[in-house]
Amino acid sequence: MPQVDMQGLTFGYRGRPVIEGLTLSFGTGVHGLLGPNGAGKTTLMRMLATVNRPSSGTLTVLGDPLRSEHGLRSVRRRLGYLPQTFGFYPRFTVREFVEYFAWLKEVPRELVNSDVDRAIERVGLGDRADDRLKTLSGGMLRRVGIAQAIVNDPEVLLLDEPTAGLDPEQRMDFRVLLRDLGQDNCVIVSTHLIEDVAAACTAVTLIDRGRRVFQGTPDQLIAAGDTDVGGDTPVERGYTTVLRAYRATT
């Protein structure tokens, strides 16, 4: 049974459709969510994170159809979510910030200290745990955001543009972390950096204008590429080829 399943999912703003009849499922592994600007990636991630409720269709996360407040609360304890932009208290230390989210996610009190320390270490900030957030660089803040998302050892982890602001070495370390997290859990990563998807993801989903364009493995996306299509890497050519072919038929 997939950890995330959606059937005919729709969502719109002020009468304008953003997600249209989307049917997808995600199981264990690392899933890359790709698409151009305005494709609906962030809106979809917010629905999976239970921030937005679908206009129609069904969304089931961890076996729960998310119809009741009790069901939402239960699922939220088992989710991790890094939004594209997140707010923080500048005077909080790294440890205080991650502890706060452990409390929000109802991590058992006896596990908080060890789980917080582990999350901070996994993102490479063990030596900055007592530094205030206002002293950190943008890339470090992004890693703090990842730490809060994984502090509860989530069964479903949602990361929206997680590598924004990370330098090349940090991105490589993050790919290793992703592969580790995806061994037993469902990880969904929305990103514009196609190379990260090819390097770290076990599956790829491409959406455009709120509809599914492609779902398969990175190798299948690469195989779909046309050498005459622009792109610096095979996966970029696959992405461009598939997207253009879809648009030519709609």
Side-chain angles (χ1 to χ4, degrees):
M1 184 178 187
Q3 284 95 324
V4 175
D5 183 75
M6 59 196 84
Q7 299 291 325
L9 211 64
T10 65
F11 185 85
Y13 292 104
R14 299 177 182 175
R16 180 178 65 86
V18 179
I19 301 295
E20 295 193 69
L22 199 58
T23 296
L24 289 171
S25 62
F26 300 102
T28 300
V30 184
H31 305 267
L33 182 62
L34 298 174
N37 289 333
K41 300 188 301 297
T42 291
T43 297
L44 178 58
M45 295 289 272
R46 286 174 60 85
M47 281 196 288
L48 297 180
T50 75
V51 177
N52 291 340
R53 304 289 286 271
S55 303
S56 63
T58 60
L59 173 58
T60 302
V61 179
L62 297 170
D64 196 305
L66 302 184
R67 294 195 184 102
S68 68
E69 287 301 320
H70 179 270
L72 287 172
R73 181 174 177 179
S74 174
V75 166
R76 285 168 181 158
R77 287 198 297 264
R78 302 160 68 191
L79 283 177
Y81 176 44
L82 173 67
Q84 192 168 10
T85 57
F86 68 96
F88 59 89
Y89 298 103
R91 294 187 61 81
F92 270 30
T93 66
V94 172
R95 180 176 282 108
E96 288 169 343
F97 184 77
V98 180
E99 282 178 348
Y100 175 61
F101 277 87
W103 174 73
L104 288 177
K105 296 174 184 183
E106 302 181 31
V107 173
R109 183 176 300 178
E110 66 273 15
L111 298 178
V112 168
N113 288 339
S114 60
D115 286 0
V116 167
D117 288 343
R118 182 168 179 259
I120 293 171
E121 287 289 346
R122 293 182 87 178
V123 299
L125 289 175
D127 61 338
R128 306 297 296 267
D130 296 316
D131 289 5
R132 297 193 187 279
L133 298 182
K134 66 181 180 179
T135 69
L136 303 183
S137 67
M140 288 180 180
L141 286 171
R142 203 68 186 155
R143 285 189 278 162
V144 174
I146 297 168
Q148 65 79 22
I150 65 175
V151 69
N152 58 326
D153 194 19
E155 296 169 64
V156 173
L157 177 60
L158 310 167
L159 302 171
D160 197 353
E161 298 292 349
T163 56
L166 301 187
D167 64 33
E169 182 181 10
Q170 291 165 354
R171 282 174 59 197
M172 287 189 289
D173 290 341
F174 176 70
R175 292 170 184 172
V176 173
L177 175 60
L178 275 185
R179 288 191 285 266
D180 180 45
L181 292 167
Q183 289 183 15
D184 301 309
N185 303 302
C186 176
V187 182
I188 304 174
V189 184
S190 174
T191 181
H192 286 93
L193 298 174
I194 301 174
E195 298 83 0
D196 286 343
V197 169
C201 295
T202 54
V204 182
T205 299
L206 171 57
I207 65 173
D208 185 36
R209 288 172 275 186
R211 297 180 178 179
R212 184 178 67 176
V213 176
F214 171 90
Q215 190 170 38
T217 67
D219 286 344
Q220 288 171 330
L221 183 60
I222 289 170
D226 187 335
T227 55
D228 294 329
V229 171
D232 294 328
T233 65
V235 70
E236 286 181 349
R237 288 191 287 273
Y239 169 90
T240 304
T241 301
V242 168
L243 186 60
R244 289 180 178 176
Y246 170 77
R247 289 179 170 176
T249 63
T250 57

